[in-house]
Amino acid sequence: GQQLNQSPQSMFIQEGEDVSMNCTSSSIFNTWLWYKQDPGEGPVLLIALYKAGELTSNGRLTAQFGITRKDSFLNISASIPSDVGIYFCAGQLFSGGSNYKLTFGKGTLLTVNP
Amino acid sequence: NAGVTQTPKFRVLKTGQSMTLLCAQDMNHEYMYWYRQDPGMGLRLIHYSVGEGTTAKGEVPDGYNVSRLKKQNFLLGLESAAPSQTSVYFCASKAGGFADTQYFGPGTRLTVL
């Protein structure tokens, strides 16, 4: 099956620093998604990317859909303590019919030191 | 509008016991999914449903059964729980369009002793 390699596994940064994480895949996706999970909660969607090469921002977050459709990155600028959590990338491949399934990366644990 | 809700939030089982996890969504979504989350493994798809009355296997279906008798509910059953099924279980739902994304519930933490 499809596999996503998400890196880094964890990051420990100072408040105000910028953060970058990425995902690579062995095969292509139609959609790339970035989710954040707070402790004890379910993942919440941050950014969705639908087109190769697309660059999308959501406040301090910026994400890009790689031109090869096999990778994506997420940047967080000027980090704040509430950015702490686990960030997941997910790829969706629409294979026709009514088949929408997500493949998730293993997550990046972000810790922000005030 | 509660979104996606899961019942129960926590449960402890003994090996061999059975239980059912309930997922409910009030967004009239067509698609529903059950995932499990283990440390360092991300989320893995157990089973999913593309509409009322339908179910399909995901990446890790063994030991689980599901049913979607009503559009708003998706049940995950463990017939004979094993310690390897200790995990956090998440339900998600999605509308029918290509650009629609999955919305997740708050999770159920299950421990099998």
Side-chain angles (χ1 to χ4, degrees):
Chain A
Q2 296 168 317
Q3 294 183 348
L4 290 186
N5 295 311
Q6 184 171 350
S7 64
Q9 285 188 326
S10 62
M11 301 183 74
F12 190 91
I13 63 171
Q14 295 295 124
E15 183 177 358
E17 290 183 350
D18 297 344
V19 172
S20 184
M21 57 191 79
N22 69 85
C23 269
T24 59
S25 169
S26 57
S27 52
I28 64 173
F29 287 107
N30 303 121
T31 304
W32 280 95
L33 305 165
W34 285 92
Y35 286 86
K36 183 191 177 201
Q37 184 178 29
D38 292 324
E41 303 289 334
V44 174
L45 181 69
L46 297 174
I47 292 181
L49 303 156
Y50 300 105
K51 192 175 175 181
E54 179 181 356
L55 184 70
T56 297
S57 292
N58 179 7
R60 294 179 294 107
L61 277 62
T62 301
Q64 183 157 32
F65 190 145
I67 198 73
T68 65
R69 297 169 65 192
K70 293 183 178 182
D71 63 306
S72 177
F73 73 74
L74 174 71
N75 287 341
I76 305 173
S77 63
S79 59
I80 59 178
S82 61
D83 289 334
V84 165
I86 303 176
Y87 291 79
F88 290 100
C89 62
Q92 174 175 274
L93 182 64
F94 174 55
S95 56
S98 55
N99 190 356
Y100 296 105
K101 292 189 290 184
L102 293 180
T103 300
F104 281 85
K106 294 183 178 180
T108 296
L109 174 62
L110 178 63
T111 304
V112 179
N113 199 24
Chain B
N1 190 341
V4 181
T5 58
Q6 293 182 232
T7 310
K9 286 190 71 71
F10 303 93
R11 185 72 186 267
V12 178
L13 291 179
K14 294 181 180 178
T15 297
Q17 286 185 318
S18 63
M19 78 161 295
T20 300
L21 282 65
L22 171 64
C23 176
Q25 52 95 3
D26 61 3
M27 298 174 282
N28 201 37
H29 283 172
E30 289 295 327
Y31 303 91
M32 297 187 75
Y33 308 81
W34 275 108
Y35 294 89
R36 60 178 289 174
Q37 184 178 30
D38 302 296
M41 296 295 291
L43 286 92
R44 293 182 292 170
L45 183 64
I46 304 171
H47 286 280
Y48 65 102
S49 168
V50 301
E52 181 179 320
T54 74
T55 63
K57 293 181 180 179
E59 182 185 353
V60 288
D62 294 341
Y64 305 95
N65 56 76
V66 288
S67 64
R68 182 106 181 264
L69 298 179
K70 294 183 179 180
K71 186 177 184 179
Q72 64 267 34
N73 295 337
F74 195 28
L75 278 64
L76 178 71
L78 286 73
E79 289 188 351
S80 180
S84 61
Q85 294 178 303
T86 294
S87 187
V88 182
Y89 292 86
F90 288 99
C91 175
S93 72
K94 176 186 173 312
F98 172 75
D100 295 310
T101 55
Q102 292 186 24
Y103 292 88
F104 284 81
T108 294
R109 183 173 293 275
L110 175 67
T111 301
V112 183
L113 302 175

